[in-house]
Amino acid sequence: MILVNAALVPVESPAVERGYLKIEGGKIAALGPMEELGPTAGEEVMDCSDLTVYPGFIDCHTHMGMWEDGLGFEGPTATRRPTPPPPSCGPSTRSTTGTAALPRPGPPG
């Protein structure tokens, strides 16, 4: 699969305003500016013109350490009511390829 026309923000290289990301066997095989993309015959291609892709980003979302209070195994703090979590900042992005694709933010206001 090849994601094309995406804004790319790789973990270990400079951002690319309009680029491609090639995925083979569930792993990132190549990425770069659209000008460097060769022939795509026989490939599944997805147009990501309105997306920003974060190749190599791993969503390690966790609640570990937030909810132990009040569960009854922590001694004197066991009766204290747990602190509520912060408000959500949007839907979770889960990926098996190590890549997160999020909508590009629009203009302020």
Side-chain angles (χ1 to χ4, degrees), residues 38-55:
T40 60
E43 299 273 358
E44 181 181 356
V45 177
M46 178 187 285
D47 185 13
C48 296
S49 296
D50 295 328
L51 297 176
T52 299
V53 180
Y54 296 84

Side-chain angles (χ1 to χ4, degrees), residues 11 14-15 18 20 23 45 50 52-53 58-60 64 90-91 98 104:
V11 172
R18 187 175 159 266
Y20 75 94
I23 301 169
V45 177
D50 295 328
T52 299
V53 180
I58 298 172
D59 179 7
C60 57
M64 202 160 79
R104 290 187 188 177

Side-chain angles (χ1 to χ4, degrees), residues 7-12 20-21 28 31 53-58 97-100:
L8 302 175
V9 185
V11 172
E12 296 183 355
Y20 75 94
L21 176 81
I28 298 168
L31 63 86
V53 180
Y54 296 84
F57 176 80
I58 298 172
T97 63
T99 300

Side-chain angles (χ1 to χ4, degrees), residues 71-99:
L71 294 181
F73 59 84
E74 220 178 50
T77 62
T79 57
R80 190 174 68 204
R81 191 175 177 90
T83 307
S88 173
C89 57
S92 176
T93 302
R94 303 208 188 286
S95 170
T96 58
T97 63
T99 300

